[in-house]
Amino acid sequence: MNTSGNNCVIFMSMHLDRISDGIFRHQDRIFTRSLNPGKRVYGERLEIVDGQEYREWSQRRSKLAAFIRLGGDPSMIGHDSQVLYLGAASGTTASHISDIVVDGTVYCVEFSPRSFRDLVGTCEGRKNMHPLLGDATRPDDYQFMVGRVDLVYQDVAQKNQVDILLRNMERFQSHQGMMALKARSEDVGRNPHSIYKEAAKKAEESGYRVLDLRPLDPFEKDHAMLVIKC
């Protein structure tokens, strides 16, 4: 292993196992192949393997990475996927999705102007990653910028999270949805697992199949990933 400088890229002699399109594993570490080499988004480690740069995907900084680390299946995110990301914040997870969908697009919706400014910076140098300032509860406001999508991915910490997901899936004709469900945003006094089950039941009653309902402990307390499909 050779390193140089404070902003170093690490050259590694190691084997990466492919998990799915654009996602790789080495032991308990997860990586995506960098779409914007030499650029960090949140201080993540950059590693060169067989002449390609990879970004380590931290399960402590990304609920989607936590889901994968805990055995969840990310295969509905493919190299040519059109993804609508609700609650993109500064773009940490969205940047890794950008690495994956090299022939697709990530539409990143964020409501907070402060986070949106950071998101715009993250999108620089990533032609498949588009920042949209908007409210996820009002998809009509950004409909003119987004066409039909393959997947709606949601990380919105407020009440009625399932309703928000389903409304956007219907609006953008998506047959697949993934939601990082925050139990405490729905009801701080209830058992999180009862909230998870209630969310899954609501999705099923709306005509969707629940493919996975996976708590994200110990990486994200009181969170679960809900994966649904028509």
Side-chain angles (χ1 to χ4, degrees), residues 17-21 23-25 29-31 57 59 62-77 100 153 177-179 211-219 224-228:
D17 296 312
R18 179 181 179 275
I19 297 175
S20 63
D21 273 3
I23 307 175
F24 305 87
R25 182 193 302 275
R29 300 167 65 196
I30 300 170
F31 298 86
W57 195 354
Q59 61 265 26
S62 168
K63 300 176 187 72
L64 181 53
F67 171 71
I68 298 168
R69 176 70 174 79
L70 292 167
D73 181 5
S75 61
M76 63 173 54
I77 308 173
I100 299 164
Y153 180 88
M178 299 181 73
M179 178 176 68
L211 303 182
D212 203 345
L213 179 61
R214 189 175 299 259
L216 300 182
D217 303 276
F219 303 117
M225 187 68 73
L226 174 66
V227 184
I228 63 176

Side-chain angles (χ1 to χ4, degrees), residues 31-222:
F31 298 86
T32 56
R33 186 183 293 117
S34 180
L35 188 67
N36 193 15
K39 300 293 185 181
R40 289 178 171 82
V41 173
Y42 57 101
E44 69 276 20
R45 293 178 65 171
L46 306 180
E47 312 238 14
I48 303 293
V49 179
D50 296 332
Q52 297 280 337
E53 183 178 288
Y54 294 82
R55 301 169 58 220
E56 185 168 2
W57 195 354
S58 172
Q59 61 265 26
R60 298 287 182 182
R61 299 288 300 274
S62 168
K63 300 176 187 72
L64 181 53
F67 171 71
I68 298 168
R69 176 70 174 79
L70 292 167
D73 181 5
S75 61
M76 63 173 54
I77 308 173
H79 71 93
D80 58 351
S81 293
Q82 302 292 316
V83 179
L84 175 62
Y85 192 125
L86 305 175
S90 62
T92 294
T93 297
S95 70
H96 284 285
I97 295 177
S98 167
D99 287 343
I100 299 164
V101 298
V102 291
D103 301 310
T105 309
V106 191
Y107 300 99
C108 304
V109 177
E110 176 52 42
F111 181 70
S112 163
R114 181 174 182 177
S115 293
F116 183 76
R117 286 193 295 271
D118 294 334
L119 176 63
V120 170
T122 301
C123 292
E124 291 178 359
R126 294 179 171 273
K127 294 182 180 180
N128 66 350
M129 191 174 172
H130 304 304
L132 302 172
L133 183 63
D135 182 346
T137 67
R138 301 173 60 182
D140 288 349
D141 289 355
Y142 44 87
Q143 183 181 10
F144 72 100
M145 289 291 292
V146 182
R148 181 174 181 174
V149 300
D150 301 301
L151 171 70
V152 177
Y153 180 88
Q154 180 175 305
D155 186 0
V156 175
Q158 61 186 76
K159 291 184 72 67
N160 303 315
Q161 292 165 75
V162 177
D163 292 335
I164 295 169
L165 177 68
L166 299 182
R167 188 179 307 130
N168 278 271
M169 290 179 68
E170 179 180 355
R171 174 66 66 193
F172 299 103
Q173 303 176 61
S174 175
H175 297 299
Q176 302 177 118
M178 299 181 73
M179 178 176 68
L181 174 61
K182 185 176 182 179
R184 298 305 181 193
S185 292
E186 294 290 348
D187 190 331
V188 71
R190 285 179 58 195
N191 183 294
H193 290 272
S194 70
I195 294 174
Y196 304 157
K197 291 177 182 177
E198 183 179 90
K201 182 179 178 182
K202 190 166 191 176
E204 289 176 332
E205 290 174 345
S206 299
Y208 294 89
R209 287 188 294 124
V210 174
L211 303 182
D212 203 345
L213 179 61
R214 189 175 299 259
L216 300 182
D217 303 276
F219 303 117
E220 291 284 350
K221 185 179 179 182
D222 300 332

